Amino acid sequence: MNIDIIFKIAAIGILVSVVNHVLTRAGREEIAMLTTLTGVVIVLLMVVNLINDLFNNVRSIFRLY
Amino acid sequence: MDIVQIVGVGIVAAILSLIIKQHKPEIAFLISIAAAIFIFFIIADKLPYIVNVFNDIINKTQIDTVFISSLIKIIGVAYITECASQICRDMGENSIASKIELGGKVIIMILGLPILKALTETILQILP
């Protein structure tokens, strides 16, 4: 469990917002919306993996079966 | 030494989510969730010591071990419930947060029933 996951998520967030601005300037709102969606989905997958690890950890520590 | 790590992670994650909140609030909330989970992992390798000390203390006395195990379960459920409801409140979903807390209370009540039963039995024995 290392810190770079948070930095990776932040980088994806910044990247998606920049790409979004560029695409809206270029007049392609629908593609901008799609890139936002893919960015959020990628970040969501990473966070869901984190939550899965959290629940397994808590279950093993507190013996919640 | 770990407290420095926890504080560092917390502040860095807060700043990062603030940066991203103007453009993409959904990703900002995901950052705060990731930071919360990461901080739990930092303390996760210390919790078993506490649990083991509890078990040793209880084994010395003649108290039944069912109580201590359900107590630890209740602490675990309470932690997860509080974590999830705080995250939902951060996102502005107060109704969902209160429903999560309601569910947590019900589960804790169920876990605590055997303790309640044992307590009433001992009280009835004491009374003439």
Side-chain angles (χ1 to χ4, degrees):
Chain A
M1 262 322 286
N2 35 31
I3 186 75
D4 66 346
I5 286 176
I6 295 180
F7 293 131
K8 232 180 275 179
I9 294 177
I12 290 177
I14 293 171
L15 197 68
V16 162
S17 62
V18 166
V19 166
N20 215 351
H21 276 293
V22 167
L23 281 177
T24 45
R25 286 295 172 278
R28 286 186 173 58
E29 275 76 15
E30 65 284 357
I31 299 183
M33 220 282 283
L34 283 180
T35 50
T36 308
L37 220 56
T38 49
V40 169
V41 162
I42 291 170
V43 172
L44 205 56
L45 285 178
M46 293 166 72
V47 172
V48 163
N49 281 333
L50 270 176
I51 291 175
N52 184 27
D53 294 345
L54 171 77
F55 280 156
N56 290 336
N57 221 329
V58 166
R59 183 176 291 161
S60 66
I61 287 175
F62 293 105
R63 293 181 187 81
L64 278 169
Y65 300 123
Chain B
M1 196 44 212
D2 280 334
I3 188 62
V4 172
Q5 197 177 1
I6 290 173
V7 167
V9 166
I11 290 178
V12 164
I15 291 171
L16 283 179
S17 78
L18 193 63
I19 293 171
I20 296 178
K21 190 158 275 186
Q22 299 109 7
H23 313 292
K24 289 281 166 287
E26 58 273 12
I27 296 186
F29 286 126
L30 287 171
I31 286 181
S32 65
I33 294 175
I37 293 173
F38 185 71
I39 287 177
F40 175 76
F41 278 150
I42 293 176
I43 62 172
D45 45 13
K46 292 179 180 45
L47 286 178
Y49 299 133
I50 300 173
V51 171
N52 293 341
V53 164
F54 263 121
N55 282 338
D56 298 346
I57 292 171
I58 290 299
N59 291 342
K60 288 190 178 62
T61 67
Q62 83 289 356
I63 300 174
D64 190 352
T65 59
V66 170
F67 302 145
I68 190 65
S69 67
S70 62
L71 181 67
I72 290 173
K73 281 198 181 90
I74 286 173
I75 293 174
V77 170
Y79 168 71
I80 290 184
T81 313
E82 196 270 339
C83 206
S85 75
Q86 281 303 330
I87 286 173
C88 288
R89 230 172 238 117
D90 269 357
M91 296 184 196
E93 303 291 342
N94 289 332
S95 61
I96 297 178
S98 61
K99 290 301 164 287
I100 289 176
E101 279 168 11
L102 174 70
K105 286 174 189 146
V106 166
I107 291 174
I108 285 176
M109 189 63 198
I110 290 174
L111 283 176
L113 280 186
I115 299 179
L116 210 60
K117 203 186 301 175
L119 182 66
T120 48
E121 278 156 12
T122 46
I123 288 177
L124 290 179
Q125 281 160 11
I126 291 169
L127 290 180

